Amino acid sequence: MKRLPVLAFLVWVCALFYVGIFLFVGGFLLVRLEVNRTSTCEDVLLPSSAGSGSDFCRAQPRFRRAVVLIIDALKADFARYDRSNLSPHPYENKLPVLDELVASRPAQGRLFTFQADPPTTTMQRIKGFTTGSLPTFIDVGNNFASSAILEDNLIHQLGQAGKRVVFMGDDTWENLFPKKFHRSLPFPSFNVKDLHTVDNGILQHIYPTMKGDDWDVLIAHFLGVDHCGHRYGPDHPAMADKLTQMNGVIRSVVEHLQNDTLLVVMGDHGMTDTGDHGGESPKETEAALFLYSPSPLFPAPETKADPTVVPQTDLVPTLALLLGVPIPYSSVGQVLLPLFPLPGQAEGQGGGPDRAEALWINVKQVNRFLETYSSMAKDIPPDRLSELQAAFARVSAAYLSALQQGEPASPELLRSMQAYLSSVRDTCRASWARFHPVKMAAGLVLLAGACLLCYVLSELSSAVLAEGGVLRAPLVVGLCVAGCVAVAQLSSQGYVDVHWCLAAAAASSEVLFLWRNCRRSNRSSASSQKGRVAPPRLLSAALVVLLLRCASLLSDSYVIAEGRAVTFLLCSLGLYVPLRLNWDGLLLPPPAPDSQKPPGALPGLPAWVVRREGAALCLSLAVLVGSLYLSLAMHACREEQGGTCQPSPFLSPLARVQDSRLRNLHYLLSVAALAGWTHLLYRWLRHYGNLNSPGVAVVAARWLLPGAAVLTGLHWAVGSAPEDAFRGLAELIRLAQSALPRAACAVLGLGAALLWLDPLTVFLKHRAPAGPHRAASAPPPPPRYRASTGISPQAELHHLIPQLYQRIRRSLEDGPAEGGAGEDGRPAVEAYGLGTVYSAPLLLFAGLLGLGLLLLHPESMAPAFLLLLLEAAALLHIHAACSTLSSQQGDYSKAFSVPWAPVVLWSLAATQFFHATGHLPTFPSLQWGAAFVGFPDGHTGTLLPATLVTLNTFSAHILFAVACPLLLFWPLVCEVRWNRSGRSGGGEESEDVVMEMRLRESPQQFSSALLQLAVRYLLVSGAQVLASVCAAAILRRHLMVWQVFAPKLMFEASGFVVGSVSLLLGVTLILRVDMAVSGWFKRLLPDTSR
């Protein structure tokens, strides 16, 4: 078998897809240009203060101090109080202090809806309400790798003005603003299961700090509400306790306020009904904002014209002017007018500008930023820029004219300034979705070329591997072209753009390979069909289903309902299989043979074989349909689906289930599913005799797999216990929460390592010679070996096949073999498990891997993994039955070739179980709890938690990709043994069931079939990535691009990368097994018989 060429081709094809994805994403998800300039006091110069540029900063501000309480994930609904609600949910009516203050002191406090810009993740929201700028989509990837903010921001301006900023709470602030605080008390924020550490740490320091005099601005960022939502969801008693605690905090802080202090209580984002956030649904973007001061804060009574919804960017200019510091340079926010007095009424309000002056300062700052940004970046349309410049000129002239005449600004002028500010923000929001069309087009072309190359390689796999050295020229040419492009860039630009170097290397290698194989195909077409690319069947059912799947990715409705759409396509293609077999006349027993025709003139199977395979096919279809139907109960709901979708109760961890009986029932169901997963794998290995080997791989199957399952069940039992159930054992439970999953992972890792070390699961049973002993002087004859597949140490003899592998025998023996030990007394050997020598290690590895991935999911997802195993088994048996029934057509030229239909079904099953394990192609649906399995106290870095979350998210892709080679082996595993007399038994004319040893007989076909299967799977997966890329490119100005298509692209591309790496892992394991089998045969044969 050509192991290295197979692996080299697959790595090269994967690299081509990676380059295409990298290039397209680099052109599609560009961050906006940051303007690294800082506002100064001179920039805030009012027309009336000409000649004294620093008057604004030196003047008495409206407020000398400010206390900013950030309650993470304080949803707008959490802050509202409804007196008529007599039976509130745990998250309702828990903050009565806000309603009391607003009702009793309307001039001192007011409650707003705080509108966040997506992505609604903490780091991006902190950037938004400190810089006043708008985030970009790609910023969501930095949520757990916070880097310092380089743009001008409110914290920097406060420090420049000499104000002492004290921070306590979420340590994200310390990463964003290093060395910017007068004093800081950061607490670790990543552990979403910890509801109290951060909050209790703040409460220990906030009141002593407020009583002191060494601060001007106090920022406290509480995390308990957010973590409670992630762990339990909003509708849980723990949320009521946490909100009640925050109510007491606000009440105590109000009591400690002085008259010159402003209180800001705000949430950075909201949360969904499941406690998640990150998207742009109203439940995630609508937070709460409460402003209060012991002194009058709102100069005028509230009117209907006053805003009730405040964008988060508007907080930046508002706080800056209230505290007497310049507005940050890049802010596009608009001051909140109700906080400022009407024109001409600023006296007696404690200092600070009136509404007209505040708007004028705001307009000047925004216009200055617009001019600077437009000169540095050219992404704002020129015509729109001219309109904004003309609008500023009109507003500026009108305001200066009113100022020179000594008249207050008119309401029309104030509305014009507000309209200008809103227009600039809307323009920036639309323009900062910048694209690089050339990179996008290049990435799309590379992906399309990679898909075409996969098809050509799948059709020419045998010829390509037979020729040898086919890949050398494309790789060398690609590297040379990339080097030339790099040199050209250095000479012309002075730097190297990695995007174009990789694109040049990938494109040149693709083109050269396709050109050379096109020439080979043309040469072969004149002489023979061998090595020629066959035209695809345009009406193939598998191709039609794949095209429908790709077309569905261009519709936001189908992407939103992707789980059910993929389930429908998978079920439809599965039901098409027996219909097509019946149409071809292969599902029913053949008619009685014509006595006038010679025997064997018509190929076919005995009637009993057809009936048995047909029954197996129908049973497998029933299992498939049943698994698909049950898996629909595991699907999650998107926010866009609204009330039409009810989230599955299996998605919640057992700790969230309040009913103890229901929790116990879910736990028992999960343990039963876990036991079923382990038992089915063990039973299959035992059935085919793979547990008889003395090798270390059997240790993994017999002991490590069940041991890891037991540890997993114990971990679930500990994790599902309510926090207040065993207070006396809190430390022991905390130790078990980290020790049990780590031990389970260690056991699974040891099993995988042993499997890779010695993957053979074959047991040799020697039989003593039956004849008389030969003379000692006679040279021993070469031994004969009889390989058979057994199923147990007791050798259930009705399954034991004492049949010689005929073709292997020819390479091992000099003459024909007899049953038993031969007349010459030479020993015979029965090899148990040799018929599944390739599939058994792969299945065991997939079982170990699946158990590890299940450990990263909520306990209630165990039934979903059991359904995954049943569905995979059903698909494999459907494929095996179809292969057996199709053999009646007598076409044995592609004996090991896997058709397109099973490959498409396998790929669709991976996507279907991505949804059946509670995942969605949206960022709020990420199961962050996976990062804390075995690490309840959190992490010191981001690599390990990111890896755990990735493994959790793409578990289905990993398992189906690793197990993909089973599609090649399963028809051989389920091989039917029959003879022409129609009986299932021995006989001189019986067909030998050599199972997977047929692959050893034809190593060239084995290599080509394995390569063909792998590239076909990559083609099916890559076609879906190409469809997502096309959807994002074509619909980049669509209303739902950032809510639906961009996240789908990111998840589809990430799933392909993870799945392709997993496929390489599975193929590498097969190559490792083949190497071990070769070594085993070499050790088996003595020198005299080689």
Side-chain angles (χ1 to χ4, degrees):
M1 182 180 183
K2 296 185 177 181
R3 306 183 189 97
L4 187 59
V6 170
L7 196 59
F9 270 110
L10 293 179
V11 171
W12 175 57
V13 171
C14 290
L16 296 178
F17 277 106
Y18 298 162
V19 172
I21 293 172
F22 176 67
L23 198 62
F24 182 86
V25 170
F28 182 71
L29 301 177
L30 289 178
V31 297
R32 63 177 176 83
L33 179 66
E34 292 186 350
V35 179
N36 292 326
R37 297 193 183 183
T38 304
S39 297
T40 63
C41 292
E42 287 76 9
D43 296 330
V44 199
L45 180 64
L46 293 173
S48 58
S49 59
S52 56
S54 60
D55 282 354
F56 177 80
C57 294
R58 293 183 180 180
Q60 177 68 26
R62 175 87 175 273
F63 293 98
R64 187 173 66 90
R65 286 180 168 182
V67 176
V68 181
L69 301 182
I70 303 171
I71 302 177
D72 206 294
L74 182 62
K75 192 176 178 180
D77 294 343
F78 296 176
R80 299 190 181 100
Y81 190 84
D82 184 5
R83 300 179 184 274
S84 61
N85 188 356
L86 301 180
S87 57
H89 290 280
Y91 58 85
E92 294 177 332
N93 290 358
K94 296 302 182 293
L95 296 174
V97 62
L98 302 182
D99 181 72
E100 294 171 6
L101 293 174
V102 172
S104 61
R105 308 171 190 176
Q108 297 171 235
R110 197 172 295 180
L111 181 64
F112 301 91
T113 297
F114 206 28
Q115 187 72 34
D117 291 294
T120 50
T121 50
T122 297
M123 192 198 74
Q124 282 68 38
R125 294 301 84 239
I126 295 175
K127 283 185 177 181
F129 57 68
T130 56
T131 64
S133 60
L134 300 173
T136 53
F137 177 82
I138 196 60
D139 283 346
V140 74
N142 299 323
N143 191 44
F144 298 102
S146 308
S147 56
I149 294 179
L150 301 179
E151 282 187 302
D152 192 13
N153 56 80
L154 202 55
I155 304 300
H156 174 75
Q157 288 296 338
L158 291 170
Q160 289 292 101
K163 294 186 178 294
R164 297 160 296 179
V165 182
V166 176
F167 168 76
M168 55 188 70
D170 186 350
D171 61 354
T172 304
W173 288 75
E174 189 70 19
N175 297 324
L176 294 175
F177 306 102
K179 300 180 181 179
K180 293 291 186 181
F181 299 113
H182 176 67
R183 189 171 75 254
S184 65
L185 296 169
F187 299 94
S189 61
F190 191 66
N191 188 359
V192 296
K193 291 189 176 182
D194 186 357
L195 276 59
H196 307 295
T197 298
V198 176
D199 294 0
N200 292 342
I202 295 174
L203 294 179
Q204 290 178 4
H205 299 91
I206 186 171
Y207 303 123
T209 301
M210 293 184 66
K211 293 177 181 178
D213 197 33
D214 61 340
W215 64 279
D216 296 303
V217 177
L218 173 61
I219 301 174
H221 192 149
F222 295 88
L223 287 176
V225 173
D226 178 68
H227 287 186
C228 183
H230 283 296
R231 183 171 184 181
Y232 300 111
D235 199 7
H236 191 275
M239 181 63 75
D241 297 339
K242 186 53 65 174
L243 290 175
T244 302
Q245 182 188 32
M246 292 299 102
N247 184 75
V249 170
I250 297 172
R251 192 180 299 277
S252 299
V253 169
V254 168
E255 294 174 356
H256 285 80
L257 292 179
Q258 299 179 5
N259 289 336
D260 60 351
T261 305
L262 172 67
L263 173 63
V264 180
V265 181
M266 55 180 283
D268 55 345
H269 52 74
M271 66 172 64
T272 64
D273 293 337
T274 58
D276 300 313
H277 57 89
E280 54 182 310
S281 67
K283 293 181 180 180
E284 297 167 273
T285 57
E286 293 180 356
L289 173 64
F290 177 72
L291 300 174
Y292 175 82
S293 175
S295 60
L297 178 60
F298 296 92
E302 185 176 3
T303 64
K304 293 183 179 180
D306 290 342
T308 58
V309 178
V310 178
Q312 284 190 352
T313 52
D314 292 359
L315 183 66
V316 174
T318 302
L319 285 182
L321 297 187
L322 291 176
L323 296 174
V325 298
I327 301 175
Y329 197 94
S330 299
S331 171
V332 293
Q334 177 179 324
V335 291
L336 186 56
L337 284 189
L339 290 168
F340 297 90
L342 295 171
Q345 300 179 6
E347 295 183 4
Q349 297 295 332
D354 60 21
R355 294 187 180 183
E357 292 171 335
L359 278 175
W360 172 244
I361 295 172
N362 198 181
V363 166
K364 281 182 58 181
Q365 170 266 322
V366 170
N367 181 72
R368 182 178 68 250
F369 165 73
L370 185 63
E371 291 179 348
T372 304
Y373 184 84
S374 61
S375 64
M376 299 171 62
K378 306 300 180 184
D379 50 4
I380 298 180
D383 54 344
R384 184 57 180 163
L385 184 62
S386 300
E387 294 176 5
L388 293 175
Q389 290 173 343
F392 173 75
R394 292 192 298 270
V395 168
S396 177
Y399 180 77
L400 294 178
S401 174
L403 195 64
Q404 291 175 358
Q405 297 176 8
E407 299 177 355
S410 64
E412 290 76 11
L413 178 57
L414 297 183
R415 285 194 291 269
S416 298
M417 286 194 256
Q418 288 181 292
Y420 170 77
L421 293 172
S422 300
S423 299
V424 172
R425 178 164 51 193
D426 294 341
T427 301
C428 291
R429 180 177 281 112
S431 301
W432 285 344
R434 295 190 304 131
F435 304 106
H436 196 302
V438 178
K439 283 186 179 180
M440 292 170 61
L444 198 152
V445 170
L446 281 177
L447 287 173
C451 291
L452 176 61
L453 186 144
C454 280
Y455 175 76
V456 173
L457 189 57
S458 71
E459 297 296 323
L460 299 178
S461 59
S462 180
V464 167
L465 290 177
E467 183 174 340
V470 177
L471 193 57
R472 188 179 301 112
L475 291 178
V476 172
V477 171
L479 293 175
C480 293
V481 172
C484 294
V485 172
V487 171
Q489 288 179 338
L490 281 175
S491 59
S492 61
Q493 303 174 357
Y495 65 92
V496 176
D497 190 342
V498 180
H499 289 86
W500 295 118
C501 293
L502 293 176
S508 57
S509 61
E510 273 185 7
V511 171
L512 181 59
F513 180 85
L514 291 174
W515 177 71
R516 294 182 64 182
N517 284 279
C518 182
R519 291 184 59 188
R520 179 190 295 110
S521 179
N522 291 334
R523 289 196 304 266
S524 302
S525 63
S527 56
S528 66
Q529 297 296 320
K530 184 178 180 179
R532 183 180 181 183
V533 179
R537 295 177 57 185
L538 297 182
L539 297 181
S540 169
L543 180 59
V544 170
V545 169
L546 180 59
L547 291 177
L548 289 175
R549 161 67 178 153
C550 294
S552 69
L553 297 176
L554 295 170
S555 167
D556 58 333
S557 300
Y558 278 95
V559 173
I560 292 172
E562 182 184 32
R564 293 185 175 273
V566 172
T567 302
F568 171 77
L569 292 176
L570 178 59
C571 187
S572 299
L573 184 57
L575 293 176
Y576 168 82
V577 171
L579 296 178
R580 182 54 191 259
L581 288 175
N582 186 65
W583 179 270
D584 293 336
L586 303 176
L587 196 57
L588 298 177
D594 190 350
S595 59
Q596 302 298 324
K597 293 184 179 181
L602 291 176
L605 296 174
W608 70 268
V609 174
V610 176
R611 285 193 295 268
R612 194 187 77 170
E613 293 302 308
L617 177 62
C618 294
L619 178 61
S620 300
L621 281 173
V623 173
L624 174 64
V625 174
S627 299
L628 291 176
Y629 178 78
L630 293 176
S631 66
L632 291 176
M634 311 287 180
H635 286 207
C637 296
R638 294 180 62 123
E639 286 296 321
E640 297 88 349
Q641 293 175 300
T644 61
C645 177
Q646 295 297 327
S648 171
F650 291 95
L651 300 179
S652 300
L654 294 183
R656 288 190 182 184
V657 181
Q658 302 178 40
D659 189 343
S660 60
R661 292 185 178 180
L662 184 60
R663 181 169 60 248
N664 294 335
L665 179 61
H666 278 200
Y667 176 76
L668 292 177
L669 181 62
S670 299
V671 171
L674 178 64
W677 173 280
T678 307
H679 175 73
L680 289 176
L681 293 173
Y682 183 89
R683 180 66 183 175
W684 188 92
L685 294 171
R686 183 177 181 274
H687 178 78
Y688 286 101
N690 296 107
L691 295 182
N692 302 317
S693 170
V696 294
V698 176
V699 177
R702 283 187 175 274
W703 304 106
L704 299 183
L705 181 63
V710 171
L711 291 172
T712 301
L714 292 176
H715 167 63
W716 291 347
V718 172
S720 61
E723 288 187 349
D724 55 350
F726 305 97
R727 294 189 180 274
L729 303 176
E731 290 298 327
L732 182 60
I733 291 177
R734 192 171 188 84
L735 177 62
Q737 286 177 342
S738 61
L740 287 175
R742 292 185 186 185
C745 290
V747 170
L748 293 172
L750 177 61
L754 293 177
L755 189 61
W756 280 84
L757 180 66
D758 184 12
L760 287 184
T761 56
V762 180
F763 171 66
L764 291 180
K765 182 179 180 181
H766 296 268
R767 302 180 64 179
H773 294 288
R774 294 179 176 268
S777 59
R784 298 184 181 185
Y785 295 94
R786 181 175 62 186
S788 60
T789 55
I791 63 173
S792 68
Q794 293 77 25
E796 299 176 11
L797 296 178
H798 60 285
H799 285 293
L800 183 62
I801 306 173
Q803 201 57 30
L804 292 174
Y805 291 125
Q806 297 286 357
R807 298 182 185 178
I808 296 181
R809 180 192 59 199
R810 296 190 186 103
S811 65
L812 304 183
E813 305 177 8
D814 296 331
E818 312 291 341
E823 293 179 355
D824 53 8
R826 291 178 294 188
V829 174
E830 292 178 345
Y832 289 82
L834 192 60
T836 53
V837 67
Y838 293 102
S839 56
L842 182 60
L843 191 64
L844 178 57
F845 179 73
L848 293 170
L849 183 61
L851 194 56
L853 295 174
L854 174 58
L855 191 62
L856 300 176
H857 284 75
E859 307 90 335
S860 50
M861 278 292 102
F865 273 73
L866 182 60
L867 291 175
L868 181 150
L869 183 62
L870 294 176
E871 180 175 326
L875 291 175
L876 290 172
H877 280 86
I878 290 172
H879 171 45
C882 290
S883 298
T884 303
L885 293 173
S886 299
S887 64
Q888 299 177 80
Q889 296 177 341
D891 183 13
Y892 300 99
S893 60
K894 296 183 178 181
F896 301 143
S897 177
V898 179
W900 284 101
V903 180
V904 175
L905 285 170
W906 201 253
S907 179
L908 290 177
T911 304
Q912 194 268 335
F913 261 97
F914 170 80
H915 291 269
T917 48
H919 296 98
L920 292 170
T922 60
F923 292 106
S925 67
L926 291 175
Q927 299 177 5
W928 299 111
F932 303 99
V933 175
F935 300 90
D937 297 326
H939 302 266
T940 56
T942 58
L943 179 60
L944 180 58
T947 302
L948 294 177
V949 173
T950 301
L951 293 175
N952 166 275
T953 304
F954 300 106
S955 296
H957 297 78
I958 294 171
L959 289 176
F960 277 96
V962 166
C964 183
L966 290 176
L967 292 172
L968 174 61
F969 303 131
W970 215 257
L972 302 175
V973 172
C974 300
E975 189 177 24
V976 179
R977 177 169 167 260
W978 59 279
N979 57 31
R980 295 182 185 179
S981 63
R983 295 186 302 272
S984 174
E988 295 182 357
E989 297 181 344
S990 63
E991 292 286 341
D992 297 316
V993 180
V994 299
M995 300 172 72
E996 293 175 6
M997 281 296 99
R998 291 191 188 277
L999 300 170
R1000 290 288 305 173
E1001 302 170 17
S1002 305
Q1004 180 65 31
Q1005 294 185 20
F1006 185 14
S1007 303
S1008 61
L1010 184 61
L1011 177 61
Q1012 182 188 62
L1013 172 61
V1015 294
R1016 283 185 174 180
Y1017 188 81
L1018 289 175
L1019 172 57
V1020 174
S1021 302
Q1024 298 174 64
V1025 176
L1026 179 62
S1028 296
V1029 164
C1030 292
I1034 297 172
L1035 304 172
R1036 60 186 180 275
R1037 298 298 181 186
H1038 192 277
L1039 178 64
M1040 305 291 285
V1041 63
W1042 301 114
Q1043 186 172 352
V1044 175
F1045 295 110
K1048 178 57 183 172
L1049 168 63
M1050 298 297 292
F1051 276 81
E1052 196 70 45
S1054 301
F1056 176 84
V1057 172
V1058 174
S1060 59
V1061 172
S1062 303
L1063 177 65
L1064 291 175
L1065 184 64
V1067 172
T1068 305
L1069 178 59
I1070 296 303
L1071 301 181
R1072 172 70 183 94
V1073 174
D1074 185 74
M1075 184 183 302
V1077 172
S1078 298
W1080 183 78
F1081 272 111
K1082 289 180 180 179
R1083 294 191 303 270
L1084 182 66
L1085 295 178
D1087 295 338
T1088 56
S1089 61
R1090 290 184 181 176

